Amino acid sequence: MGKTADLTAVQKAIIDTLKREGKTQKEISERIGCSQSAVSRHLSGKSVGRKKCGKKRCTTRRGDRTLRKIVEKDRFQTLGDLRKQWTESGVETSRATVHRRVLLNQKQRQKRLTWATEKQHWTVAQWSKVLFSDESKFCMSFGNQGARVWRKTGEKEMPKCLKSSVKYPQSVMVWGAMSAAGVGPLCFIKGRVNAASYQEILEHFMLPSAEKLYGDEDFVFQHDLAPAHSAKTTGKWFTDHGITVLNWPANSPDLNPIENLWDIVKRKLRDARPNTLDELKAAIEASWASITPQQCHRLIASVVAVTEAVISAKGFPTKY
């Protein structure tokens, strides 16, 4: 069995603090997300002098700072542009490394990798038992297909991360579900989604979707980790209804095949060019209704390949 990763300086400091507060090793390990043996080694001093483990970093801290400066000059650059400029500065690396340095942190990647490894041997028949769901926003202008901006948490309002646009474009938020058998009815959401309103969506749209696509057969429901989805009352709703929920890693829209259906609908909206909110809703419903069971089955079957791709990429984002 391979050696586990070393504790960071921050983790060590937290361990020392929690120990002084009288916490047990088990409580400390659960708090900081490491093994109890790692806590024990640190407190006993046995972790001192251990050889470094894991793959050697392919970039230096100085190189990482250079990338951050490149991103800060123009937040709307493509991944290829970022890599090209970073290479020109003297840092030879892959697109995956660029993506890793800019977006997902190590903990998020590890959770994605663990999830993909657990699902590695699932068959298309098993994935066909999953009812995938998601919300998506549709705007009047260009199907809500904006430019990508590279930013971190807390940088949302920075001037360099903003681009001019229509101040208040008319838009609608839509919830939908799909399986290998096709799509369920759409729900046009009014206002913000909280736990109570989400449970109404589940009651009046998710259950009819399951009835349409599965009949009396068992199914597993998928949704992401949005606050309304992960609320305790929502978890109780699923328990009361006897519905199994698929565990899902955070920041993983690339794993959800329904994202491809939203893209199909948005592409069709660019051709439809609706002028009013009613026309927008009608165009969305028409595009959604035109999605065939064959399209859905192909997307569900592709989840097998996407799962393998995540494993090969060590948890990095991938695309269908």
Side-chain angles (χ1 to χ4, degrees):
M1 182 176 178
K3 182 160 69 72
T4 56
D6 295 314
L7 295 170
T8 65
V10 174
Q11 287 176 317
K12 292 176 181 178
I14 295 174
I15 290 174
D16 294 335
T17 301
L18 294 177
K19 184 61 178 178
R20 288 194 295 270
E21 293 176 358
K23 303 294 184 182
T24 64
Q25 291 184 7
K26 181 178 180 181
E27 290 173 333
I28 295 173
S29 66
E30 291 175 346
R31 180 76 66 86
I32 68 172
C34 70
S35 66
Q36 189 173 336
S37 60
V39 175
S40 177
R41 284 196 302 271
H42 171 69
L43 294 175
S44 65
K46 293 182 179 180
S47 61
V48 178
R50 294 176 80 219
K51 292 183 178 180
K52 295 291 183 179
C53 62
K55 182 180 178 181
K56 183 179 178 180
R57 284 177 59 92
C58 61
T59 62
T60 63
R61 300 296 180 187
R62 184 176 181 179
D64 294 347
R65 289 195 296 272
T66 301
L67 177 61
R68 286 197 293 271
K69 291 178 181 178
I70 292 172
V71 172
E72 288 169 0
K73 288 180 181 178
D74 183 0
R75 303 294 184 130
F76 297 90
Q77 299 177 79
T78 66
L79 194 60
D81 291 337
L82 293 177
R83 184 192 178 197
K84 180 181 179 181
Q85 292 185 59
W86 206 17
T87 300
E88 291 173 349
S89 72
V91 182
E92 282 285 349
T93 188
S94 65
R95 289 170 60 92
T97 298
V98 177
H99 211 160
R100 178 171 70 251
R101 296 290 187 265
V102 177
L103 294 178
L104 293 177
N105 59 42
Q106 183 177 356
K107 186 176 181 180
Q108 291 168 333
R109 295 196 306 273
Q110 184 57 51
K111 287 185 176 181
R112 284 165 53 86
L113 180 58
T114 299
W115 181 90
T117 302
E118 291 173 351
K119 306 294 188 293
Q120 183 177 12
H121 300 296
W122 275 34
T123 63
V124 175
Q126 287 175 292
W127 284 116
S128 296
K129 292 293 184 181
V130 178
L131 180 63
F132 289 91
S133 71
D134 191 28
E135 295 92 3
S136 186
K137 184 179 181 181
F138 293 83
C139 292
M140 291 291 294
S141 57
F142 309 112
N144 199 33
Q145 293 286 331
R148 178 188 293 274
V149 57
W150 302 95
R151 63 175 175 81
K152 296 180 180 179
T153 302
E155 296 181 341
K156 182 177 180 180
E157 304 300 331
M158 288 179 61
K160 290 184 178 180
C161 297
L162 302 176
K163 246 186 177 182
S164 60
S165 63
V166 179
K167 190 172 183 180
Y168 299 111
Q170 288 186 301
S171 64
V172 293
M173 182 68 74
V174 181
W175 177 94
M178 60 90 71
S179 75
V183 298
L186 287 178
C187 172
F188 289 92
I189 302 170
K190 296 181 180 179
R192 297 179 64 86
V193 179
N194 55 27
S197 61
Y198 182 60
Q199 289 158 36
E200 288 292 318
I201 293 173
L202 296 174
E203 188 76 39
H204 299 292
F205 291 90
M206 189 276 281
L207 291 181
S209 296
E211 176 67 25
K212 171 187 175 183
L213 300 172
Y214 292 101
D216 295 330
E217 296 181 7
D218 292 333
F219 70 96
V220 177
F221 182 67
Q222 179 279 335
H223 60 183
D224 60 26
L225 302 183
H229 302 178
S230 54
K232 290 183 178 180
T233 54
T234 301
K236 184 178 183 299
W237 187 94
F238 284 109
T239 301
D240 293 343
H241 286 76
I243 297 173
T244 301
V245 178
L246 182 71
N247 66 305
W248 195 254
N251 301 92
S252 299
D254 56 317
L255 301 178
N256 193 343
I258 200 173
E259 294 287 346
N260 294 270
L261 297 188
W262 294 138
D263 288 341
I264 291 172
V265 173
K266 289 175 180 178
R267 284 197 297 270
K268 291 184 177 181
L269 285 183
R270 288 201 292 270
D271 296 331
R273 295 284 182 176
N275 295 312
T276 66
L277 206 56
D278 287 339
E279 289 182 3
L280 175 63
K281 291 180 179 180
I284 293 171
E285 287 185 319
S287 299
W288 186 255
S290 69
I291 295 171
T292 66
Q294 290 76 17
Q295 286 177 293
C296 293
H297 188 273
R298 285 195 296 270
L299 288 176
I300 294 296
S302 69
V303 178
V304 175
V306 172
T307 303
E308 290 287 350
V310 172
I311 295 173
S312 300
K314 304 297 182 184
F316 296 139
T318 183
K319 294 191 73 174
Y320 280 84

